[in-house]
Amino acid sequence: MPRIIVVGAGIAGSVLAYWLGKHGFQVVVIERSPPGNESGQVIDVEGSAEEIVKRMGVLEQIHSNVTHEAGIRFVDGAGREFGRFPAGKSGVSKEIEIMRPALAEILLTAADSFPNVEFRNNRTVQSIHQTDSRVHVEIKERGNENLSEEEFDILVACDGLRSPTRDMILPLSQRESCVRSVNAFAAFFSIPAEPRDRPWATSYFRPGRRCAFLKPQTEKESSAYLTIAKHDQRLRDARESRDVKLQKEAVAEIFQGQGWETERIVKGMMETKNFYFEEISQVKLEKWSQGRCVLLGDTAYCPSPLTGQGTKLAILGAYILASKLVKDIDNPAEAFEQYDKDMRPYVNKLQPIPLGGYLPKLINPDTAWGVWVLGTIISWLSWFQVWKYVPIPSNESYTLPEL
């Protein structure tokens, strides 16, 4: 049977491994992190993605691990609430919300149940060499200076927004400008929970295009988000440094002493190990494959957290790619072309940032007056329960092939 290497054991990688494994492919999934080291915060599963995980037989497990978020509320600097929207009635709180590590573990376990699927942690790709019929991959194991070289029929790269594997596959002309910043930064992390953190998510705006956000996670932990929706060179330098301490210090300086729960959130950020900081960006490429190598998920078409579509695109993309490989494994060029043909219209529809790309600035005012205006609008919308009278856009689903 065909031998496939999947680089990245996240959501896209595990879904792809599941479906290829189900059809008898020999699948090797490599991941640079140790086992159980998956990080991340609350994500949602809806539409086509929900149907796919249902077909995988894990929807019930996902439901048993949801955060039970009631919706989102908005507060001022003293913690006084001035508006709220129930789950499913806003773009922030969805009906099925789950911690990313929990979802990743469920999907990985499902894929790992096939004897022909192998997960290898603490490994990275060092080089890729393609021939007409094979992909030769040099793999390095952490703590071992020796490289092992293996042959595969296909390589799938789904190792994230800033994928080093993508750089080995695509020519410089295609990859040098594919990651496009939206000039916004976000820190995602977990902090010790307080009873008041549940069941509602809470949002707090500050001048300077800043927002502090808490979402319920478990009885012991809450998810915290600190965002800055404008260019900041110090934050960019901190991100590029990959120095977590430097990143935390840069974010802490911006939010320290800003009212509401910011003191507690900053303190929790400085102490947590589950911390992720990123300059919010998108990936846009004219082509997702090169020879026998293909890109998937955020590596190919990261939409950014601002769209709320990353999980859906990762799961759907993995399913579509699997269906094409199962059908045309002897002709990968045709399989990749059909994957692109079916998936790209969906990506083009879901990837754009709402409100013509101005969403980050419109919901994160720069001035105190702007924050007051935004708060007033939210208060009115909440008071009049506008969601009862405005049709909720249908959760459009892709017509899934049988697999």
Side-chain angles (χ1 to χ4, degrees), residues 51-341:
E51 174 60 25
I52 291 167
V53 297
K54 181 180 179 181
R55 294 184 184 187
M56 293 173 67
V58 297
L59 184 57
E60 187 174 334
Q61 286 179 265
I62 291 173
H63 276 291
S64 66
N65 282 273
V66 297
T67 61
H68 301 289
E69 185 173 309
I72 181 172
R73 66 190 194 103
F74 302 87
V75 299
D76 63 15
R80 294 178 298 238
E81 181 180 314
F82 58 83
R84 63 170 57 190
F85 301 101
K89 307 300 181 181
S90 72
V92 180
S93 294
K94 303 294 178 68
E95 293 181 356
I96 301 179
E97 297 211 336
I98 182 173
M99 293 301 299
R100 189 181 190 280
L103 177 61
E105 179 63 25
I106 290 170
L107 298 174
L108 186 152
T109 301
D112 200 32
S113 66
F114 295 106
N116 48 313
V117 175
E118 177 187 2
F119 283 85
R120 303 179 190 172
N121 288 84
N122 296 311
R123 288 168 170 82
T124 55
V125 172
Q126 297 299 299
S127 70
I128 298 169
H129 172 67
Q130 298 191 60
T131 66
D132 290 341
S133 60
R134 292 288 186 272
V135 182
H136 299 262
V137 184
E138 282 192 325
I139 302 172
K140 183 178 185 298
E141 182 178 3
R142 183 179 297 175
N144 186 349
E145 293 304 316
N146 297 323
L147 301 179
S148 63
E149 181 174 322
E150 299 185 44
E151 290 185 7
F152 300 90
D153 295 285
I154 300 291
L155 182 147
V156 182
C158 48
D159 48 341
L161 167 68
R162 302 190 188 276
S163 162
T165 315
R166 179 179 58 217
D167 292 345
M168 301 179 201
I169 296 171
L170 299 181
L172 180 63
S173 60
Q174 292 183 36
R175 69 175 191 259
E176 61 182 352
S177 61
C178 69
V179 179
R180 304 181 187 182
S181 171
V182 301
N183 288 319
F185 300 83
F188 312 84
F189 50 96
S190 297
I191 64 172
E194 296 286 348
R196 60 183 176 275
D197 296 344
R198 301 178 65 85
W200 291 82
T202 306
S203 185
Y204 171 57
F205 300 105
R206 290 295 295 155
R209 304 198 187 283
R210 294 172 292 176
C211 179
F213 192 50
L214 279 177
K215 291 173 77 72
Q217 179 175 329
T218 67
E219 291 185 358
K220 294 183 178 180
E221 288 188 318
S222 294
S223 293
Y225 307 75
L226 296 175
T227 64
I228 305 94
K230 65 179 180 181
H231 174 74
D232 186 303
Q233 191 59 46
R234 181 184 177 187
L235 292 177
R236 177 169 289 176
D237 292 342
R239 201 280 306 166
E240 292 177 351
S241 76
R242 299 186 180 182
D243 185 325
V244 171
K245 183 174 181 292
L246 188 63
Q247 293 171 353
K248 288 183 176 182
E249 289 174 348
V251 175
E253 184 175 309
I254 293 172
F255 282 93
Q256 191 76 47
Q258 290 299 311
W260 181 51
E261 301 260 9
T262 53
E263 292 286 342
R264 171 192 161 210
I265 293 172
V266 168
K267 180 177 183 294
M269 177 183 69
M270 301 305 291
E271 296 172 353
T272 189
K273 293 182 179 180
N274 183 10
F275 174 85
Y276 179 71
F277 177 74
E278 184 57 271
E279 180 171 4
I280 298 176
S281 303
Q282 297 185 311
V283 173
K284 296 189 176 183
L285 287 162
E286 293 184 1
K287 190 176 181 182
W288 297 333
S289 63
Q290 189 77 19
R292 289 181 166 267
C293 299
V294 63
L295 311 181
L296 172 66
D298 281 355
T299 303
Y301 35 77
C302 175
S304 90
L306 295 172
T307 67
Q309 303 296 336
T311 304
K312 180 190 294 185
L313 290 177
I315 293 174
L316 178 60
Y319 187 89
I320 293 176
L321 178 58
S323 72
K324 304 307 179 184
L325 289 174
V326 167
K327 180 181 178 181
D328 281 311
I329 187 58
D330 293 329
N331 188 354
E334 176 65 18
F336 297 160
E337 183 178 341
Q338 292 303 313
Y339 159 61
D340 190 305
K341 180 180 178 182

Side-chain angles (χ1 to χ4, degrees), residues 229 305-307 353-364:
L306 295 172
T307 67
I353 295 172
L355 304 178
Y358 287 99
L359 177 68
K361 289 182 169 55
L362 290 175
I363 64 172
N364 293 280

